[in-house]
Amino acid sequence: MAERWYRRRGWGGAVVVAAGLVAGGCVGATGCSGAGAAGGAAGEADARGGDAVRLLRGAADALREAGSSKARTSMEMATGGTRVTIRGEGVYDYRRQQGRLKVMLPQDPAGTSEHRPITELLAPGALFMKHRGAGVPDDKWVRVETSTLSDGNLVTGGATDPFAAAEVLRGARTAMYVGRTEVAGTTVRHYRGTADLTVAAEGASAGSRGALAAAAKGFATARVPFDVYLDEAGRIRKVRHRFSFVNGRQAEAVAVASTTLLYDFGAPADVRLPAARDIFAGRIAEG
């Protein structure tokens, strides 16, 4: 059902989008990551001393300790000189690994929006979408098993699951401390490096393992360059991943930049998954 690559659409006629969204375009997630060990002068000394990889591999654990937060996402896809951006906003519960996002699809070539926002519910192993598109009743949800997607839902939903974005860092192979800066008025430490999705899947939580393993096999390369910004408590404030995949319709790799921004830690994140009777069981019309 959802494991199809979108057909070429407008935006210059060259954009091919991952399955799951209606209009084509990839959403970039902007997020920040942190680990409690990063706090204070000792944490910075450790980072400078070569412990950045260890620190970043624990970033997801710091989010779990934080409990919840608000999130903004941005996914940007570039191919053939054309660039499309999808944005999202919502909340996430890191302990339950459940989130809710409102995803805004890009405007059409004429500059007017032709799509309603898609409501997405994120859960271990599953993505639920409402207002998914043609053929789906307004009161029904579409359910997708993320482990069946060749990108593990790092791209398909138009937004990278915030906890999955942090768990990608469990596969950090190289990392360097860039320096101090600010994200949304918060002082953070900036790290840059490369993660391996295969390694990330091996160290991930049970809820993320299958999806990351699928992404490791499905992307053009399992190597994922990243930039991540951690606050004094070691929590991710912003993380940017650069994915690359080749779909079944063209040989050219599609570059996807996913950015996740995390803020307002401790904010209520009451996410209720749909009942079985509310999940659409019919066929979804394609693009």
Side-chain angles (χ1 to χ4, degrees):
M1 173 185 67
E3 181 49 28
R4 296 188 184 93
W5 299 112
Y6 274 98
R7 299 173 180 173
R8 292 174 186 260
R9 304 284 297 198
W11 303 292
V15 176
V16 179
V17 180
L21 286 182
V22 116
C26 295
V27 177
T30 303
C32 296
S33 103
E44 187 160 351
D46 287 344
R48 292 181 183 278
D51 285 342
V53 168
R54 176 188 59 79
L55 181 67
L56 298 182
R57 287 186 173 185
D61 298 327
L63 290 183
R64 195 189 298 272
E65 290 179 10
S68 64
S69 78
K70 294 182 180 179
R72 290 196 185 100
T73 67
S74 169
M75 188 168 286
E76 184 179 85
M77 184 185 70
T79 180
T82 302
R83 197 171 299 272
V84 176
T85 301
I86 301 174
R87 303 187 187 280
E89 185 170 0
V91 295
Y92 201 94
D93 182 329
Y94 301 104
R95 291 171 184 161
R96 298 172 63 198
Q97 293 184 39
Q98 294 183 356
R100 182 179 62 253
L101 296 174
K102 178 192 285 187
V103 176
M104 304 295 295
L105 299 176
Q107 294 180 330
D108 64 17
T112 58
S113 177
E114 59 178 353
H115 304 290
R116 287 184 297 176
I118 293 177
T119 300
E120 296 188 356
L121 300 181
L122 309 169
L127 166 67
F128 300 86
M129 294 178 287
K130 198 169 191 179
H131 301 149
R132 156 62 177 77
V136 181
D138 287 347
D139 62 343
K140 295 294 184 180
W141 295 83
V142 173
R143 186 182 192 277
V144 180
E145 296 287 339
T146 54
S147 62
T148 67
L149 301 173
S150 64
D151 68 295
N153 194 37
L154 294 177
V155 171
T156 288
T160 302
D161 180 307
F163 194 71
E167 295 228 89
V168 168
L169 299 178
R170 293 193 190 278
R173 282 290 184 87
T174 64
M176 62 176 289
Y177 174 68
V178 178
R180 285 178 174 266
T181 184
E182 287 192 358
V183 170
T186 299
T187 299
V188 294
R189 294 186 177 87
H190 178 191
Y191 299 87
R192 177 174 296 147
T194 303
D196 186 305
L197 289 172
T198 302
V199 176
E202 292 171 352
S205 64
S208 300
R209 194 172 302 136
L212 290 177
K217 297 177 181 178
F219 279 125
T221 173
R223 292 170 56 86
V224 179
F226 65 81
D227 282 85
V228 62
Y229 303 79
L230 308 182
D231 65 15
E232 293 295 327
R235 302 170 301 197
I236 296 173
R237 291 285 178 158
K238 179 181 177 182
V239 61
R240 180 178 175 86
H241 298 102
R242 290 172 290 283
F243 303 117
S244 178
F245 66 85
V246 177
N247 64 36
R249 297 180 180 273
Q250 62 181 41
E252 179 186 1
V254 179
V256 178
S258 176
T259 304
T260 303
L261 182 68
L262 306 179
Y263 62 102
D264 201 359
F265 286 96
D270 183 16
V271 179
R272 300 185 182 184
L273 302 182
R277 64 179 178 274
D278 296 324
I279 297 175
F280 182 64
R283 181 178 180 81
I284 299 173
E286 293 189 39

